[in-house]
Amino acid sequence: MSIGTASKALNGRGRMRVETRDRVLAAAERLGFRPNPFAQGLLAGRTYTVGLVTSDSFGRFSIPVMLGAEDALDAGQISVFMCDTRDDPIRERHYVERLLARRVEGIIVTGRRTEPRPGIGRDLPVPVVYAMTQSADDSDVSIIPDDEGGGALAARHLMATGRTRIGHVTGPQSFEAARRRAQGMTTALGSAGLAPAGEILYGQWSEEWGRQGADVLLHESPDVDAVFCGSDQIARGVAETLRERGRRVPEDVALVGFDNWEPMALGCRPPLTTVDMNLGEIGRLAARHLLDAIAGDPAPGGVTIVPAGLVLRESTRRGTS
Amino acid sequence: MSIGTASKALNGRGRMRVETRDRVLAAAERLGFRPNPFAQGLLAGRTYTVGLVTSDSFGRFSIPVMLGAEDALDAGQISVFMCDTRDDPIRERHYVERLLARRVEGIIVTGRRTEPRPGIGRDLPVPVVYAMTQSADDSDVSIIPDDEGGGALAARHLMATGRTRIGHVTGPQSFEAARRRAQGMTTALGSAGLAPAGEILYGQWSEEWGRQGADVLLHESPDVDAVFCGSDQIARGVAETLRERGRRVPEDVALVGFDNWEPMALGCRPPLTTVDMNLGEIGRLAARHLLDAIAGDPAPGGVTIVPAGLVLRESTRRGTS
DNA sequence: ATGAAAGCGCTAACAT
DNA sequence: ATGTTAGCGCTTTCAT
């Protein structure tokens, strides 16, 4: 039997007797034959491979993104080379070079900050999509969460449960995410003729800051009846201080976090209502855009914003007060 | 210029005038030439590629392991295909098949439980190393953390700071990790003629259980002066209850956690002394074993235990009492 | 010091 | 319906 015929049998091409085909299939099975992807790739000029570069040390934000991307890519039989840059530009260049040398058909770049960042290179021979981070070059495709919408969502939910004196404790003002969330909240309150209770309290992304920030807020606006927090960690700190100062959550003060980081949100007392950025969806979308681009149908450059959702838990249960 | 000569120039083989070599190098640079790894691989019979299969959804435990592995593999110019099985055996088979089809030279399997698990397949054509999980087949190579040693470390540290009535609140007894940590602690106490304060309290890996468990412990052993917790999450719950019951940490009761999960351990009041499993080292070791096996020098099958360390923070500062 | 040619494993086009 | 052949891009031997 010729080798060419065997190839056809395995791939279901050409015409041949079923018996012959079966014989080949059986033999292949018996011998544990696996086609050499290098030979196939050499011929086809394709690798069915993409690279995923993260600067988040495979952290809390990039992982759900990766899982979403894997979902979408797996359907296309695409395998993923993972590289973690440890936030080091040198490593990043190194990995991008390596991925290109391996002839990946596209690259997804993820991060932990949504701030625009320098692209990974100009005129790369393959399409690139930025997920959960944004390229400074707006001819690139970037997919980011809707921080502003998330802030608005939180504010509207709090108003819907009857709160009107809503404070905000969040991370450093140097983070675009923090500014956007605050903006979304302020705008939503404004639409209802309200304003935030007290100043927007910018600080750190930590529980410790949440504890301090809550004290500041209680001092400035003792009649506050809700707090929207820039992260679940901050919210936990706020919850703790509120309790220690004798305010009941949610009866006296309702609380909304941000991230839906379950170990934090569920460990909180009470469990935390929080904004979910739909990171998985960001990853899936990034992967789909990449697949389209690989298939020759690139999305126009620009930023795509994925809507956030709200996960309801005890911390905003409608008060009986 | 012949194509063969160019190849020699690029790879530094054969004899030729420096001028010729330089000319080739310059041209390659100018044209952005990258050798096709498929053609190279086809010839060399190597792929410089390994697979990493995780059943932890790239979670908290497998990620540090992955980073460690990447360290070690990167040095060998090996790229990594990542696959997440979502803990689904079907997906796992599928991915293992795919990795083998891609001719990875080895596979690392990671998980989130140290319990022995069925291997990913018998008589695979490439070496396999299990990291942070253990193959039921003890001819396989497995690298796991030292839960027992970690428990002992915690107990000895507490005794060294003058504690003698040490309780233990931990996760479900169905977890080998929980049983081992308890065993390590009990043995270490026993060597000093001590026994745990009260029963070992098995429960859940959650803060909520930590809060409840602390109440049980305080009720059974009101004079307890230290608590070793099976996880940082549990420790946080315990810390909260202690504080609410008027016990100061560390003055009245010292506290040790397990995992060194920084967002939890640092957010705790006070910051938590905790056992670190050295997950990065587990990953590095797994990768090195895999590289050795690929190089034809396989480690003998069996379980390698990586020692744990203790990270000191406020929760065990020597009391002034 | 350089060039020519074979062959890695596979598929597609063409010949039988 | 099956066999034959060329060629994907590279490295290596061997000839010049």
Side-chain angles (χ1 to χ4, degrees):
Chain A
M1 142 102 26
S2 90
I3 195 169
T5 308
S7 170
K8 288 177 217 163
L10 264 356
N11 297 291
R13 308 285 160 75
R15 256 172 286 284
M16 66 203 324
R17 274 184 299 182
V18 254
E19 184 222 311
T20 314
R21 175 153 297 162
D22 291 346
R23 228 152 33 95
V24 173
L25 259 34
E29 173 73 12
R30 188 159 42 76
L31 301 170
F33 174 85
R34 300 166 189 286
N36 184 323
F38 281 50
Q40 293 181 308
L42 188 53
L43 209 51
R46 294 202 53 182
T47 62
Y48 297 96
T49 281
V50 303
L52 198 155
V53 176
T54 175
S55 54
D56 179 33
S57 295
F58 297 135
R60 187 149 59 81
F61 300 114
S62 55
I63 283 154
V65 175
M66 283 162 45
L67 291 176
E70 207 192 17
D71 264 357
L73 293 169
D74 189 54
Q77 301 266 40
I78 306 279
S79 296
V80 184
F81 279 122
M82 299 268 183
C83 313
D84 187 292
T85 68
R86 270 86 162 158
D87 228 339
D88 171 359
I90 309 284
R91 271 183 96 103
E92 183 174 281
R93 287 197 70 80
H94 165 78
Y95 277 128
V96 169
E97 278 303 314
R98 185 124 113 212
L99 289 171
L100 293 176
R102 288 206 181 264
R103 296 289 202 277
V104 295
E105 299 184 28
I107 298 179
I108 295 177
V109 180
T110 79
R112 81 184 114 193
R113 286 187 70 160
T114 46
E115 264 76 6
R117 45 150 289 167
I120 57 170
R122 320 195 114 274
D123 302 317
L124 296 183
V126 298
V128 178
V129 175
Y130 297 80
M132 189 63 204
T133 185
Q134 187 180 338
S135 169
D137 181 340
D138 51 52
S139 65
D140 287 332
V141 175
S142 306
I143 323 272
I144 59 173
D146 188 3
D147 286 308
E148 193 162 340
L153 206 55
R156 285 199 301 269
H157 170 62
L158 287 169
M159 291 188 288
T161 58
R163 315 293 172 152
T164 54
R165 297 177 301 279
I166 305 174
H168 186 43
V169 182
T170 189
Q173 190 159 15
S174 62
F175 275 69
E176 184 158 345
R179 297 194 303 274
R180 286 233 175 98
R181 291 168 196 178
Q183 180 60 53
M185 168 198 177
T186 304
T187 305
L189 291 179
S191 306
L194 296 177
E199 300 287 309
I200 304 289
L201 297 170
Y202 290 102
Q204 307 301 317
W205 297 116
S206 71
E207 288 185 60
E208 177 57 23
W209 161 241
R211 291 181 210 121
Q212 296 169 13
D215 265 331
V216 176
L217 185 63
L218 287 175
H219 184 259
E220 288 189 355
S221 315
D223 61 348
V224 65
D225 64 8
V227 187
F228 167 44
C229 302
S231 79
D232 290 343
Q233 277 174 281
I234 290 171
R236 289 198 58 152
V238 169
E240 230 177 306
T241 292
L242 288 173
R243 193 168 55 251
E244 293 183 357
R245 302 290 174 263
R247 311 290 180 108
R248 292 167 306 165
V249 177
E251 292 82 352
D252 303 325
V253 181
L255 207 53
V256 176
F258 207 106
D259 288 343
N260 192 25
W261 189 18
E262 295 203 345
M264 283 290 163
L266 294 174
C268 189
R269 291 169 70 190
L272 202 59
T273 291
T274 182
V275 176
D276 188 308
M277 294 183 275
N278 288 319
L279 298 176
E281 184 56 23
I282 291 178
R284 261 187 298 279
L285 206 57
R288 277 200 289 265
H289 279 215
L290 194 66
L291 289 174
D292 287 348
I294 290 171
D297 178 26
V303 175
T304 300
I305 293 175
V306 173
L310 195 67
V311 179
L312 302 182
R313 298 204 183 88
E314 291 297 297
S315 70
T316 58
R317 203 189 45 218
R318 187 178 286 275
T320 47
S321 60
Chain B
M1 142 103 27
S2 92
I3 194 169
T5 308
S7 170
K8 287 176 215 165
L10 264 355
N11 297 290
R13 307 285 159 77
R15 253 172 288 283
M16 65 203 326
R17 273 183 300 182
V18 248
E19 183 222 313
T20 313
R21 174 154 299 161
D22 290 347
R23 227 154 31 96
V24 173
L25 260 31
E29 173 72 14
R30 188 161 41 78
L31 301 171
F33 173 85
R34 301 166 188 287
N36 185 322
F38 281 47
Q40 294 181 309
L42 188 55
L43 213 49
R46 292 202 56 182
T47 62
Y48 297 96
T49 281
V50 303
L52 197 154
V53 176
T54 175
S55 54
D56 180 31
S57 295
F58 297 135
R60 190 149 59 83
F61 300 115
S62 55
I63 283 155
V65 175
M66 283 162 44
L67 290 176
E70 207 192 16
D71 264 357
L73 292 169
D74 189 54
Q77 302 266 41
I78 306 279
S79 296
V80 184
F81 280 122
M82 299 269 183
C83 311
D84 187 293
T85 68
R86 272 84 161 160
D87 229 339
D88 172 358
I90 310 285
R91 271 183 96 102
E92 184 174 281
R93 288 197 72 81
H94 165 77
Y95 278 129
V96 169
E97 278 304 315
R98 190 124 110 213
L99 289 170
L100 293 175
R102 288 204 182 264
R103 297 289 204 275
V104 295
E105 299 184 27
I107 297 178
I108 295 178
V109 181
T110 77
R112 82 182 114 195
R113 287 188 68 159
T114 47
E115 263 77 6
R117 46 150 289 165
I120 57 170
R122 322 195 111 274
D123 303 316
L124 297 183
V126 297
V128 177
V129 175
Y130 297 80
M132 189 64 202
T133 184
Q134 186 180 340
S135 168
D137 182 339
D138 50 54
S139 65
D140 286 332
V141 175
S142 306
I143 322 273
I144 60 173
D146 188 2
D147 286 308
E148 193 162 340
L153 207 54
R156 285 199 301 269
H157 170 64
L158 288 169
M159 292 188 287
T161 57
R163 315 294 171 151
T164 55
R165 297 177 300 279
I166 306 175
H168 187 40
V169 182
T170 188
Q173 189 158 15
S174 62
F175 275 67
E176 185 158 344
R179 297 194 303 273
R180 286 235 175 96
R181 291 166 194 179
Q183 180 62 52
M185 168 197 178
T186 305
T187 304
L189 292 179
S191 305
L194 296 177
E199 300 287 308
I200 303 291
L201 296 171
Y202 290 102
Q204 308 302 316
W205 298 116
S206 71
E207 288 184 62
E208 177 57 23
W209 162 240
R211 291 180 209 122
Q212 296 169 13
D215 265 331
V216 175
L217 185 62
L218 287 174
H219 184 259
E220 286 189 356
S221 315
D223 61 347
V224 65
D225 63 7
V227 187
F228 167 44
C229 301
S231 79
D232 290 343
Q233 277 174 282
I234 291 172
R236 290 200 56 154
V238 169
E240 228 176 307
T241 292
L242 287 173
R243 192 168 55 251
E244 293 184 355
R245 302 290 174 264
R247 310 291 179 109
R248 294 167 303 165
V249 177
E251 292 83 351
D252 303 325
V253 181
L255 206 55
V256 176
F258 207 106
D259 288 342
N260 191 27
W261 189 17
E262 294 203 347
M264 283 290 164
L266 294 174
C268 189
R269 293 169 68 190
L272 202 59
T273 291
T274 183
V275 176
D276 188 307
M277 294 184 276
N278 287 319
L279 297 176
E281 184 56 23
I282 291 178
R284 262 186 298 279
L285 206 57
R288 278 202 288 266
H289 279 213
L290 194 66
L291 290 173
D292 287 348
I294 289 170
D297 178 26
V303 175
T304 301
I305 293 174
V306 172
L310 195 67
V311 178
L312 301 182
R313 299 203 182 89
E314 291 296 296
S315 70
T316 58
R317 203 190 45 218
R318 187 179 286 276
T320 48
S321 59

